[in-house]
């Protein structure tokens, strides 16, 4: 297990290096004088000089990169030009909100996707299977932000059951927090539920036709026992990896969903930064999401091996 | 693929299998309809999509305006029809960009192996580690807001999908006997890669391209929703949804139609893509 961890860590180092090149490279895309672009509307020569000094714009690009990456490695993701606070602080402040949303969304997606996948595999070829597959495709094809707007229309505007926007921390008022996050969490979860359903269905079909399930059936075990205890346990292992892979989808979805529900999380942070041309914040958000995605996949790999003793070598 | 006309050609067989799938044919019909509407927009659109009218501000659907009007009195149906141009163009162009960048790189990585493969694959991993929409938004933000830049941003973001797919297929194919045979005949490596290996990857690429168009259309709508795509007053489904959100309580129809247009178009491309996958790879079912 430790050897595996070491090997995987060595593998992700080059990937992380390319991630840093990619994110640093974004800066090179800015048209014209980067100092002017980074300053936004502020054309004060003093500010421009500050920016040139801060980003070492007078140095050659490779030197700029080295200075930038040295900052990143010591936790300095730059300074928000608009809010004049360190990008790292902003991210730390917004991250918990998005993590709460993401966790709720994942719970909803697993509840819907895994259940639907199992039902559809057990009832393979029936109208239930067909219905579930259609619904999953509908879920995958629905634009997140449209679903969000429609849910606001139904539950906030028409019925008045839930607030249309805003966010309350669960530590302040758990019930109110649930009320402000349940719609966006559903919107986010919906996008993944369809994918989870398809994979669960595939894995369950493979498990149901395997020898050990046939043996369990031949022993005369009840159908529910065979499905839930024998087939499902093996079919669900790949879902660990899939859950980690879908984390990226969650964060992508959070961008527009948070925007629509005005939730002050990670997604809203990057959108506001884009509107304000606060490029350091945009870079910081991409860097943190990409790095956490890579680390999460590493954890998922380890979890997968941990759940499959046969893979431990 | 082989020439049309030979009845037993793999392409003809795949087409026959595709035709036997009602969901794929429905998807194909709707895609054709949307494409036609986009091409014939000047002929079929009932109004000028940018024509403002203070007499018809936020009117609910009626005979004169079947989908209603928006906050400056523009006809929503006309804007949906013209908006199809931005969405389809974005879907198509960004996938072409992704393929133009991704296929040669995937071919090189899979065929050449070694250090070339190492560099291309790690760079691909790095890009795939960035959530799709977040990377597209970041690229579009740094490039500057316009429909063209949105297409480039989406295309670049989607390129790794084609790199990975092409690479995987090429690795599987390059040990096949007919490739060995070509090599033993002394045919140059890049000709083998382009002439023998690439055609065998085409079916998978076709499936991936169709499904990626669906992703790209949603991405373009998302970028336009954020003001990073098609610029006003030119119509696009994403920016229509953005302005609709402000009038949700008194003009909900403004939000219904553009979203429905995105949904139906994306669903159709997904139906065609799923159908193609099953038709081109009979073993998958």
């Amino acid at each position: 297990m430790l050897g595996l961890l070491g090997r995987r860590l060595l593998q992700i180092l080059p990937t992380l290096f390319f991630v840093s090149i990619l994110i640093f490279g974004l800066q090179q895309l800015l048209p014209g004088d980067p100092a002017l672009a980074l300053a936004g509307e502020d054309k004060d020569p003093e500010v421009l000089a500050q920016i040139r000094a801060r980003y070492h714009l007078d140095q050659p690009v490779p030197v700029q990169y080295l200075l930038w990456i040295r900052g990143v490695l010591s936790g300095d993701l730059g300074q928000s030009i608009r809010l004049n606070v360190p990008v790292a602080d902003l991210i730390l402040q917004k991250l918990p909100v998005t993590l709460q949303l993401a966790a709720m969304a994942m719970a909803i997606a697993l509840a819907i996707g895994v259940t639907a996948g199992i039902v559809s595999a057990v009832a393979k070829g029936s109208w239930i299977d067909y219905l579930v597959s259609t619904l999953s495709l509908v879920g995958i094809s629905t634009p997140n932000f449209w679903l969000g707007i429609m849910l606001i229309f139904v539950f906030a505007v028409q019925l008045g059951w839930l607030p249309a926007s805003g966010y309350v921390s669960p530590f302040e008022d758990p019930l109110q927090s649930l009320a402000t996050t349940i719609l966006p969490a559903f919107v986010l979860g919906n996008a993944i539920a369809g994918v989870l359903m398809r994979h669960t269905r595939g894995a369950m079909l493979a498990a149901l036709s395997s020898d050990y399930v046939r043996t369990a059936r031949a022993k005369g075990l009840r159908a529910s026992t065979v499905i839930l205890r024998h087939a499902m346990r093996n079919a669900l292992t790949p879902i660990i990896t899939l859950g980690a892979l879908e984390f990226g989808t969650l964060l992508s979805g959070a961008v527009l969903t948070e925007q629509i529900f005005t939730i002050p999380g990670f997604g809203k942070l990057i959108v506001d930064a884009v509107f304000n041309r606060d490029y350091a914040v945009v870079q910081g958000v991409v860097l943190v999401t990409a790095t956490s995605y890579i680390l999460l996949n590493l954890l998922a790999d380890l979890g997968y091996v941990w759940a499959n003793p046969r893979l431990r070598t | 693929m082989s020439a049309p006309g030979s009845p037993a050609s793999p392409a003809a067989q795949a087409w026959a299998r595709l035709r036997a799938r009602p969901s794929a044919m429905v998807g194909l019909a709707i895609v054709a309809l949307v494409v036609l509407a986009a091409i014939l927009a000047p002929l079929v659109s009932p109004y000028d999509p940018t024509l403002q009218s203070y007499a018809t501000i936020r009117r609910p659907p009626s005979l004169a305006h079947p989908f209603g009007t928006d906050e400056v009195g523009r006809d929503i149906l006309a804007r949906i029809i013209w908006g199809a141009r931005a969405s389809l163009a974005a879907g198509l162009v960004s996938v072409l960009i992704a393929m133009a960048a991704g296929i040669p790189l995937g071919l090189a990585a899979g065929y050449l192996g070694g250090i070339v493969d190492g560099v291309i694959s790690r760079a691909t991993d790095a890009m795939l580690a960035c959530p799709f929409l977040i990377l597209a938004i970041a690229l579009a933000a740094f490039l500057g807001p316009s429909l063209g830049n949105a297409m480039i941003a989406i295309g670049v973001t989607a390129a790794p999908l084609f790199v990975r797919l092409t690479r995987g297929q090429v690795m599987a194919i390059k040990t096949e006997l007919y490739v060995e045979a070509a090599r033993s005949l002394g045919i140059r490596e890049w000709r083998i890669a382009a002439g023998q290996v690439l055609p065998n990857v085409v079916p998978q690429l076709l499936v991936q391209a169709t499904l990626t168009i669906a992703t790209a259309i949603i991405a373009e709508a998302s970028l336009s929703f954020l003001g990073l795509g098609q610029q006003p007053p030119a119509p696009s489904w994403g920016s229509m949804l953005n302005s609709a959100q402000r009038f949700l309580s008194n003009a909900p129809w403004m939000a219904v139609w553009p979203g429905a247009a995105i949904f139906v178009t994306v669903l159709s491309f997904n139906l065609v893509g799923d159908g193609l996958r099953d038709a081109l790879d009979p073993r998958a079912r």
Side-chain angles (χ1 to χ4, degrees), chain A residues 129-207:
Chain A
D129 181 24
Y130 190 73
L131 180 76
V132 169
S133 298
T134 310
L135 282 179
S136 111
L137 195 62
V138 166
I140 293 170
S141 305
T142 309
N144 254 341
F145 49 116
W146 185 50
L147 180 65
I149 293 174
M150 289 293 117
L151 289 179
I152 290 179
F153 177 67
V154 173
F155 290 99
V157 177
Q158 291 291 315
L159 298 171
W161 290 354
L162 293 164
S165 61
Y167 171 76
V168 175
S169 160
F171 302 108
E172 249 172 65
D173 183 346
L175 212 62
Q176 198 56 29
S177 180
L178 187 69
T180 52
T181 47
I182 188 75
L183 285 184
F186 178 79
V187 169
L188 281 176
N190 166 70
I192 310 172
V195 181
L196 283 178
M197 175 266 149
R198 287 181 162 200
H199 283 266
T200 309
R201 178 179 181 273
M204 274 302 280
L205 284 179

Side-chain angles (χ1 to χ4, degrees), chain B residues 233-249:
Chain B
S236 91
W237 297 342
S239 56
M240 287 171 78
L241 270 176
N242 186 14
S243 46
Q245 209 197 344
R246 282 177 285 137
F247 304 102
L248 205 51
S249 49

Side-chain angles (χ1 to χ4, degrees), chain B residues 139-216:
Chain B
L139 279 169
F142 278 84
L143 286 167
S146 77
L147 184 60
N149 282 343
M151 291 178 189
I152 296 175
I154 298 167
V156 170
T157 310
L161 297 173
F162 290 93
V163 177
R164 190 167 271 188
L165 177 70
T166 311
R167 177 183 174 272
Q169 293 293 325
V170 168
M171 303 260 282
I173 288 169
K174 76 172 177 186
T175 53
E176 297 270 341
L177 262 180
Y178 60 87
V179 176
E180 297 280 337
R183 199 172 290 138
S184 67
L185 286 172
I187 298 175
R188 264 177 294 172
E189 290 290 311
W190 64 269
R191 291 202 59 170
I192 300 176
Q196 310 289 321
V197 176
L198 192 58
N200 287 289
V201 188
V202 166
Q204 280 80 10
L205 285 173
L206 200 64
V207 173
Q208 181 70 52
T210 315
L211 295 174
T212 310
I213 289 179
T215 312

Side-chain angles (χ1 to χ4, degrees), chain A residues 15 18-19 26 29-30 137-138 141-143 145-146 149-150 153 198 248 252 255-256 260 274-275 279 282 290 293-294, chain B residues 122 125-126 129 131-134 137 139 142 222 225-226 241 245 248 252 255-256 259-260 262-263 267 270-271 274:
Chain A
T15 309
F18 276 106
V19 166
L26 284 174
L29 295 175
L30 286 176
L137 195 62
V138 166
S141 305
T142 309
F145 49 116
W146 185 50
I149 293 174
M150 289 293 117
F153 177 67
R198 287 181 162 200
S252 272
V255 175
L256 287 168
I260 284 161
V274 165
F275 284 146
Y279 295 109
V282 178
Y293 180 80
I294 291 172
Chain B
R122 292 294 83 74
D125 288 348
F132 191 90
L133 195 58
I134 291 185
I137 287 175
L139 279 169
F142 278 84
S222 308
F225 182 82
L226 296 174
L241 270 176
Q245 209 197 344
L248 205 51
V256 170
I262 303 170
F263 167 67
L267 179 67
N270 278 332
L271 284 173
D274 281 356

Side-chain angles (χ1 to χ4, degrees), chain A residues 42-57:
Chain A
D42 204 342
K43 303 283 187 282
D44 187 357
E46 222 173 281
V47 176
L48 291 182
Q50 252 179 14
I51 287 171
R52 285 207 179 88
R54 157 137 205 123
Y55 291 98
H56 311 281
L57 293 177

Side-chain angles (χ1 to χ4, degrees), chain A residues 54-158:
Chain A
R54 157 137 205 123
Y55 291 98
H56 311 281
L57 293 177
D58 46 345
Q59 306 271 354
V61 173
V63 178
Q64 284 180 35
Y65 170 76
L66 287 177
L67 291 166
W68 176 78
I69 197 76
R70 194 178 66 181
V72 167
L73 290 177
S74 60
D76 175 12
L77 297 177
Q79 188 87 2
S80 159
I81 283 171
R82 199 61 42 183
L83 305 164
N84 208 24
V85 282
V87 173
D89 290 2
L90 273 178
I91 290 177
L92 280 180
Q93 184 193 330
K94 309 283 184 188
L95 200 56
V97 179
T98 301
L99 286 182
Q100 182 196 347
L101 262 189
M104 287 172 67
M106 195 50 99
I108 292 172
L110 284 171
I112 300 175
V114 172
T115 314
I118 291 171
V119 168
S120 143
V122 171
K124 189 190 176 219
S126 72
W127 64 270
I128 299 176
D129 181 24
Y130 190 73
L131 180 76
V132 169
S133 298
T134 310
L135 282 179
S136 111
L137 195 62
V138 166
I140 293 170
S141 305
T142 309
N144 254 341
F145 49 116
W146 185 50
L147 180 65
I149 293 174
M150 289 293 117
L151 289 179
I152 290 179
F153 177 67
V154 173
F155 290 99
V157 177
Q158 291 291 315

